[in-house]
Amino acid sequence: MLFDFLWQIINISLNLILFNFTYLFFSNLISIIFFLFFVYMCDFEVFMLFLIYGMCFVCVCMQAIQGNDITVKSYKVESRITSRFAHTTVKSSVVNSGANAQSIGFNVQIPKRAFINNFTMNVNGITFVGSVKEKTVARNLYAQARARGKAAGIVRTNSQAMETFRTEVHVPPGSKVEFELHYQEMMQRKLGVYQHTLHLQPGRLVPLLQVDVYIFEPKGIKFVTASNTLGEHLSELTKITHTKEKAHIVFKPTLQQQRKCENCTESSVDGEFTVNYDVERESNAGELQVSDGHFVQFFAPSDLSPLSKNIVFVIDVSGSMWGLKMKQTVEAMKAILDDLSMDDYFSIIDFNHNVRCWNEDLVQASSIQANEAKKYIQSIKPNGGTNINEALLRAVQMLVRASNQGLTDPRSVSMIILVSDGDPTVGEIKLNTIQKNVKRVMREEFSLYSLGIGFDVDFDFLERIAMDNRGIAQRINANHDAAEQLKTFYSQVSSPLLRTISIHFPENAVNNVTQNRFDKFFHGSELIVAGKLQPSDFTTLQSITTASANMDLNIQTEADIHGLDSVLSTHQHSFTGFARQMWAYITVNQLLAERSLASTANKKRRITQRIMALAVEHQFVTPFTAMLVEGHDQGRAERLIADSPRDSRHGCCSGTKSKQLVERKLPEYSFMLCLFYLPHPFEFNVVENDPHFIIHLPKSNMDICFNIDSKPGHILNLISDPGTGVTINGQLVGSKKMKNNKIDTYFGTISIYSKTHVLFKYTIMHLLIYAKLLLRMRVTIVKEAHVTVTVDGKISVMVLLHRVWKKHPIQVDFLGIYMSNANKYSTQVHGLIGQFAKEPEVKLYGVHEGADPKKKEATMEVKGNKLAVTRGWQKDYRRDKKRGSDVYCWFIHNSGKGFIDGSYTSYILPQLDSFLTSI
């Protein structure tokens, strides 16, 4: 067996050498073969640190009211849900109660599927109003506004997975700032419930904290409930008023009720506030609503017998699934197999570098077969690479064979459920080719559902391949709750009720209809079709729904064209433009999905133009539009921008300031407005450049920087953890020449050792991994970019390679190091970075202008020391390797003296495998 394994490695290496001879001829042949060996043994996927949580609930993060000595006067969240369409407004009133001018930040996290559609800000009576433009138009107008001295900012997004809106305004003492953000989304029915969740985290006591959720459903509300995770003493404060068509949910804790304890100054409001409801439905399960020249058809039948299923479960068992991921997958699969009925047929394919079938053909889901499948899954030991292409092709072949042999009921539903945590590394690895291969062999009656576990998976690929084959994709967070997430997803597709559903309208009555043909309908979900009305004398609109089930269905629904508008006008908290906005919302999302599957650049351009036109008309911030925010009072707005940051390092929205404004010297406020991509909740401790340490303190929401003025050849300890047996050390290299009478130093070697063995060693020239300990370690490699090492699933380190021009007169190649705050060390951990696993208490006061007008100065109290600190910028190169992203931090002088335990010299070690002795 060992011989076969080694022969496969040699065979793969030789084939790759033949196919890539030219490349190998000009490369280090030994290093490449060595790398291929470990690619075969491990699962080296790209560790995508900044893939954001695709959350389907509203998360309003009030922690982000940032600034020193500020008072939050009020924080209000209001959601108006009309016919499943939600319009949410977040308002905050803040006062700079400090003695100095300062920046006040306002952050709101919004759901993945929501669109920002309005933002206003009032600063001491000056109002800034937003309007959505095409992104290029917004940029040009923004540049013109700044050139004229007019205050302006841009809200923009580069991805549909946007999550955090952030704005910051710099104001003098006593200033009052009012923020107001609006966004819209369509509620999705899952397992018979519409869920609206707000994550409340003010981070401080608020005199007026209020949440209002208004629901209006014309056909009636079946039930409405509210719950929260804010603590027992707050659980009874929610009040619900419920009539047939309307509901009002209000949560309004007093200042005293928000306190953690009777005399505490900290807020206990930190958790989720959730509203669940469903609507009444007529016997035919159809609901047609017409309003504002648009219509929306809802369809959600329930009194039907489930169709039988034919399922092939395709499970990734590569090395990266080892540990908790595999344990959770096994737990979920056992529950799923128990849920199968005798009418269902199934099989299991597991894959790493090889592809195995539990059974080559679909088998009936009897209790005996289900138990045999459970034993098989439980015996799997993850290892090796990831051959997604062959696994999916085998799954399709299995379904085709079962269909051709007449094993499956013609009215049954056939599906493939793929569970994977990584990118393909074996066999066909080109994502586009895999997508084409699967599409080519899939039959129209089959569907593919993709579940991506964790954040090191290419979720975009999983989403594309699912959409391309009549399915959906979902990200599963790799935590203790992963098994529940897998089971919940399966529950959503486990009870198919209908196939080949079509919803039709009279051709001369409507146009611009959204998708109206659907492959499947599952119990507890809902199908929605929207469109525009054509001018006519009709007083009613009709729809006909046809579908195939255990018997064919033909359902007719009718609606009054003018009745709903008159009803909405009488309800104070209803959203009168819901039908118009819902049609645009559905259309834009369908176009975004269509664009991701477009086969040519020309098709993508045409779709992009349609998205931009709709988004501008309906005021949606999308990946192709931006919201321009401008001050209306031109005379005073000039002063607002006069003190804007002078270069791009001081904010994402900075531009060129006119010389005239600089000379006028009218600094009063500065304004910055951006949409950020945050790695929440993963923050990082960083070592970059000469070596600058950036320590993130989550509780204080603060970044602290210090430098180490050591010498080339010195070995510095970053992490020393006797409890886990891991030490992480770095050896310094020096610049080629002195600069300002100083040799700059950088990390040239990073090593990770256990108490008994070397696990990993990375220099600017070589990567060494010790194979016998790969079970303890997971390695992710991005060629010519970075390496991520995860030890025991607890400690993660990313090493970024910085290459410089070989003939550079001063600089040398060096490494950057990034360590997640989520790393799980023991209580004994120490080191230049490790000591901050237990966050010290930090107090900052006396913020004032420094000698450099761009840098604030202050006094910091930490570990019993009073330190003079300076606020400035450092670089984070994870997103942009060339230019880097700016990190605003307080700089500790004298090699971190007073902030780190002892002197930096105490962290100098004799060897790369040394552990730190006591400080």
Side-chain angles (χ1 to χ4, degrees):
M1 187 173 178
L2 178 61
F3 175 79
D4 289 340
F5 177 63
L6 292 172
W7 172 246
Q8 288 181 57
I9 297 171
I10 295 168
N11 197 24
I12 288 173
S13 300
L14 289 173
N15 275 292
L16 283 165
I17 291 169
L18 290 172
F19 281 109
N20 299 281
F21 178 80
T22 305
Y23 174 76
L24 294 175
F25 182 81
F26 292 103
S27 305
N28 187 330
L29 182 59
I30 296 175
S31 296
I32 291 173
I33 296 175
F34 188 58
F35 172 72
L36 290 170
F37 171 79
F38 288 107
V39 168
Y40 190 77
M41 287 192 65
C42 297
D43 191 14
F44 290 162
E45 301 105 11
V46 177
F47 185 18
M48 301 176 68
L49 289 172
F50 297 96
L51 205 57
I52 305 303
Y53 286 101
M55 299 170 68
C56 293
F57 54 81
V58 178
C59 179
V60 179
C61 180
M62 298 189 290
Q63 177 91 32
I65 294 291
Q66 297 171 346
N68 303 310
D69 299 320
I70 69 168
T71 302
V72 181
K73 294 292 187 180
S74 66
Y75 205 110
K76 299 179 182 179
V77 182
E78 179 183 288
S79 290
R80 299 186 183 190
I81 304 172
T82 299
S83 296
R84 291 75 142 177
F85 198 73
H87 181 111
T88 300
T89 305
V90 185
K91 298 180 181 179
S92 180
S93 178
V94 186
V95 174
N96 178 8
S97 51
N100 301 303
Q102 63 173 314
S103 294
I104 297 176
F106 169 70
N107 294 356
V108 179
Q109 291 186 13
I110 70 172
K112 175 184 177 181
R113 293 178 59 86
F115 291 135
I116 291 174
N117 71 311
N118 196 6
F119 175 77
T120 61
M121 184 176 72
N122 187 289
V123 183
N124 291 337
I126 302 177
T127 301
F128 295 81
V129 180
S131 60
V132 174
K133 313 283 186 185
E134 290 184 20
K135 191 163 286 188
T136 52
V137 173
R139 286 172 180 161
N140 292 336
L141 290 173
Y142 171 69
Q144 292 171 21
R146 290 190 64 88
R148 295 195 307 268
K150 188 177 181 181
I154 295 180
V155 182
R156 55 191 173 208
T157 173
N158 297 319
S159 166
Q160 204 179 349
M162 67 183 183
E163 206 174 283
T164 302
F165 167 89
R166 172 181 292 176
T167 185
E168 183 177 324
V169 60
H170 192 77
V171 295
S175 295
K176 181 180 180 181
V177 185
E178 294 177 342
F179 301 99
E180 184 171 323
L181 179 72
H182 299 250
Y183 55 90
Q184 298 177 347
E185 63 172 332
M186 186 177 73
M187 306 290 291
Q188 291 184 313
R189 188 170 185 254
K190 295 182 178 180
L191 300 177
V193 174
Y194 302 101
Q195 187 175 85
H196 191 64
T197 300
L198 306 171
H199 189 87
L200 306 180
Q201 191 181 17
R204 63 191 72 200
L205 300 173
V206 182
L208 179 55
L209 172 60
Q210 183 166 339
V211 177
D212 290 283
V213 179
Y214 298 95
I215 304 173
F216 176 71
E217 291 290 347
K219 291 294 183 181
I221 299 172
K222 189 174 184 179
F223 68 83
V224 58
T225 62
S227 61
N228 67 62
T229 60
L230 305 174
E232 291 184 7
H233 70 293
L234 294 173
S235 61
E236 302 300 323
L237 298 182
T238 303
K239 296 181 180 179
I240 300 176
T241 305
H242 179 201
T243 63
K244 179 186 176 182
E245 299 172 341
K246 296 187 296 182
H248 178 206
I249 302 91
V250 60
F251 175 69
K252 189 179 179 181
T254 65
L255 197 65
Q256 187 60 35
Q257 288 168 338
Q258 295 173 42
R259 298 181 190 274
K260 277 191 174 181
C261 62
E262 187 174 350
N263 298 315
C264 290
T265 58
E266 296 180 10
S267 174
S268 65
V269 181
D270 185 356
E272 293 179 355
F273 181 84
T274 304
V275 175
N276 293 318
Y277 80 96
D278 198 10
V279 302
E280 295 286 1
R281 289 178 174 81
E282 297 178 355
S283 57
N284 65 7
E287 182 181 350
L288 182 58
Q289 298 181 12
V290 182
S291 173
D292 193 23
H294 293 72
F295 71 87
V296 184
Q297 167 81 60
F298 302 97
F299 183 66
S302 57
D303 298 329
L304 298 170
S305 300
L307 302 174
S308 58
K309 305 183 294 293
N310 315 302
I311 308 180
V312 182
F313 298 98
V314 181
I315 302 172
D316 184 346
V317 295
S318 58
S320 58
M321 286 288 289
W322 183 81
L324 183 62
K325 288 181 183 178
M326 195 66 217
K327 181 181 177 182
Q328 299 276 27
T329 302
V330 170
E331 182 185 335
M333 282 300 302
K334 287 164 69 176
I336 289 169
L337 290 169
D338 282 335
D339 187 66
L340 295 173
S341 73
M342 283 290 291
D343 293 329
D344 296 332
Y345 283 77
F346 80 101
S347 189
I348 298 169
I349 292 176
D350 60 293
F351 68 96
N352 45 29
H353 46 279
N354 294 318
V355 176
R356 297 189 306 169
C357 299
W358 166 66
N359 196 305
E360 292 291 339
D361 294 301
L362 295 181
V363 299
Q364 190 174 19
S366 65
S367 58
I368 295 174
Q369 296 287 14
N371 287 331
E372 289 298 317
K374 288 183 204 173
K375 292 177 185 177
Y376 176 80
I377 291 172
Q378 224 160 356
S379 68
I380 294 172
K381 304 297 181 188
N383 66 85
T386 307
N387 193 346
I388 290 179
N389 184 70
E390 186 181 344
L392 288 176
L393 294 182
R394 291 276 287 276
V396 176
Q397 290 167 8
M398 194 178 288
L399 289 177
V400 170
R401 189 163 56 249
S403 177
N404 291 342
Q405 293 174 355
L407 181 65
T408 58
D409 186 330
R411 290 181 178 269
S412 64
V413 171
S414 297
M415 63 181 78
I416 297 167
I417 297 181
L418 168 66
V419 181
S420 179
D421 78 330
D423 296 341
T425 59
V426 178
E428 179 55 66
I429 61 174
K430 291 182 179 179
L431 302 183
N432 287 341
T433 303
I434 296 173
Q435 190 175 338
K436 290 176 183 177
N437 289 345
V438 175
K439 176 73 172 177
R440 186 178 64 252
V441 298
M442 280 284 276
R443 289 189 177 178
E444 285 294 321
E445 64 268 28
F446 300 163
S447 295
L448 170 62
Y449 298 91
S450 303
L451 298 173
I453 300 183
F455 289 88
D456 43 357
V457 61
D458 190 335
F459 187 72
D460 286 343
F461 164 67
L462 294 182
E463 198 166 41
R464 285 196 310 274
I465 200 170
M467 287 192 301
D468 208 18
N469 294 283
R470 296 161 296 285
I472 59 174
Q474 182 167 314
R475 183 185 300 284
I476 302 297
N477 298 332
N479 55 30
H480 66 282
D481 195 34
E484 277 306 312
Q485 295 173 62
L486 286 165
K487 287 185 282 186
T488 299
F489 176 84
Y490 174 75
S491 297
Q492 294 170 23
V493 298
S494 63
S495 295
L497 302 181
L498 298 172
R499 298 176 62 234
T500 58
I501 307 101
S502 295
I503 302 177
H504 299 281
F505 305 87
E507 290 184 7
N508 60 343
V510 301
N511 56 29
N512 296 106
V513 179
T514 61
Q515 178 187 351
N516 65 336
R517 297 177 184 272
F518 305 90
D519 294 291
K520 299 171 186 66
F521 172 78
F522 296 96
H523 175 73
S525 64
E526 184 172 61
L527 301 179
I528 301 178
V529 179
K532 292 182 176 182
L533 292 180
Q534 291 195 42
S536 71
D537 296 328
F538 297 135
T539 57
T540 61
L541 177 67
Q542 292 182 339
S543 70
I544 297 176
T545 302
T546 60
S548 171
N550 291 319
M551 57 180 291
D552 291 334
L553 298 180
N554 192 309
I555 300 170
Q556 183 171 313
T557 311
E558 187 174 280
D560 185 341
I561 287 180
H562 305 292
L564 184 56
D565 282 335
S566 59
V567 172
L568 291 173
S569 65
T570 64
H571 292 281
Q572 180 183 357
H573 296 291
S574 63
F575 180 21
T576 56
F578 85 92
R580 179 178 184 271
Q581 290 300 96
M582 184 180 282
W583 168 79
Y585 177 93
I586 296 171
T587 304
V588 169
N589 274 295
Q590 288 181 0
L591 287 171
L592 287 168
E594 186 180 334
R595 186 184 183 278
S596 71
L597 298 175
S599 56
T600 66
N602 192 37
K603 286 183 180 178
K604 283 193 174 184
R605 278 194 297 270
R606 289 201 302 269
I607 296 170
T608 301
Q609 290 299 321
R610 293 176 62 194
I611 293 171
M612 288 193 297
L614 273 173
V616 170
E617 180 183 354
H618 295 269
Q619 293 292 284
F620 290 151
V621 177
T622 71
F624 309 105
T625 53
M627 178 173 287
L628 185 70
V629 183
E630 300 175 282
H632 280 193
D633 185 331
Q634 186 173 357
R636 297 176 70 185
E638 283 188 341
R639 295 198 296 274
L640 282 171
I641 199 170
D643 195 33
S644 292
R646 303 191 182 191
D647 57 59
S648 59
R649 293 175 299 172
H650 292 257
C652 68
C653 301
S654 299
T656 304
K657 184 191 297 185
S658 68
K659 183 178 179 182
Q660 180 185 4
L661 283 173
V662 176
E663 292 174 347
R664 284 170 61 184
K665 297 181 180 178
L666 292 172
E668 190 171 346
Y669 316 98
S670 65
F671 174 69
M672 178 180 68
L673 184 64
C674 319
L675 196 62
F676 280 84
Y677 290 67
L678 300 181
H680 179 78
F682 300 108
E683 300 291 352
F684 290 82
N685 296 317
V686 181
V687 188
E688 276 287 2
N689 282 313
D690 174 26
H692 289 291
F693 288 75
I694 307 175
I695 304 297
H696 178 73
L697 304 178
K699 294 178 183 177
S700 305
N701 197 19
M702 189 183 299
D703 292 300
I704 310 294
C705 305
F706 60 91
N707 198 10
I708 294 294
D709 294 320
S710 197
K711 297 179 181 179
H714 279 179
I715 298 169
L716 297 178
N717 176 252
L718 306 178
I719 301 290
S720 186
D721 191 359
T724 60
V726 172
T727 183
I728 302 174
N729 299 319
Q731 188 167 29
L732 299 176
V733 294
S735 57
K736 296 174 183 176
K737 294 181 181 179
M738 294 185 72
K739 183 181 178 182
N740 298 326
N741 296 319
K742 177 182 176 294
I743 288 286
D744 291 334
T745 56
Y746 311 88
F747 279 115
T749 301
I750 295 296
S751 64
I752 302 176
Y753 284 78
S754 73
K755 286 183 177 179
T756 54
H757 299 93
V758 57
L759 293 178
F760 173 91
K761 183 178 178 183
Y762 188 18
T763 73
I764 54 178
M765 295 298 294
H766 299 288
L767 168 65
L768 303 177
I769 310 168
Y770 285 69
K772 60 183 177 180
L773 290 169
L774 283 175
L775 286 178
R776 287 201 65 188
M777 181 179 65
R778 178 182 177 190
V779 180
T780 301
I781 296 178
V782 181
K783 184 180 177 182
E784 295 296 324
H786 62 254
V787 176
T788 301
V789 181
T790 304
V791 181
D792 294 331
K794 297 179 180 179
I795 300 173
S796 181
V797 183
M798 187 180 85
V799 183
L800 189 68
L801 175 61
H802 292 283
R803 293 283 192 191
V804 300
W805 177 43
K806 289 184 179 181
K807 296 183 180 180
H808 195 288
I810 298 175
Q811 285 189 318
V812 294
D813 292 347
F814 67 96
L815 304 175
I817 304 99
Y818 296 79
M819 298 185 188
S820 171
N821 264 87
N823 282 351
K824 295 179 176 62
Y825 305 108
S826 77
T827 56
Q828 304 171 56
V829 67
H830 210 276
L832 283 168
I833 289 178
Q835 63 187 287
F836 298 104
K838 183 178 180 181
E839 183 174 329
E841 184 177 346
V842 175
K843 293 182 179 179
L844 193 73
Y845 57 89
V847 180
H848 60 277
E849 297 289 342
D852 184 339
K854 295 180 182 178
K855 296 181 179 179
K856 300 282 187 179
E857 294 180 356
T859 300
M860 178 180 291
E861 284 190 11
V862 58
K863 298 181 179 180
N865 303 310
K866 288 188 177 181
L867 309 175
V869 294
T870 306
R871 197 173 186 184
W873 295 92
Q874 298 296 342
K875 287 289 187 182
D876 174 345
Y877 289 94
R878 290 170 296 167
R879 305 180 197 183
D880 187 335
K881 191 178 174 185
K882 292 183 178 179
R883 294 177 294 273
S885 303
D886 295 310
V887 178
Y888 211 9
C889 60
W890 288 102
F891 189 82
I892 310 290
H893 303 276
N894 301 320
S895 293
K897 186 177 181 181
F899 182 65
I900 62 174
D901 294 337
S903 167
Y904 83 89
T905 56
S906 305
Y907 299 86
I908 299 176
L909 301 180
Q911 298 180 95
L912 281 169
D913 61 350
S914 299
F915 274 75
L916 187 68
T917 57
S918 58
I919 299 295

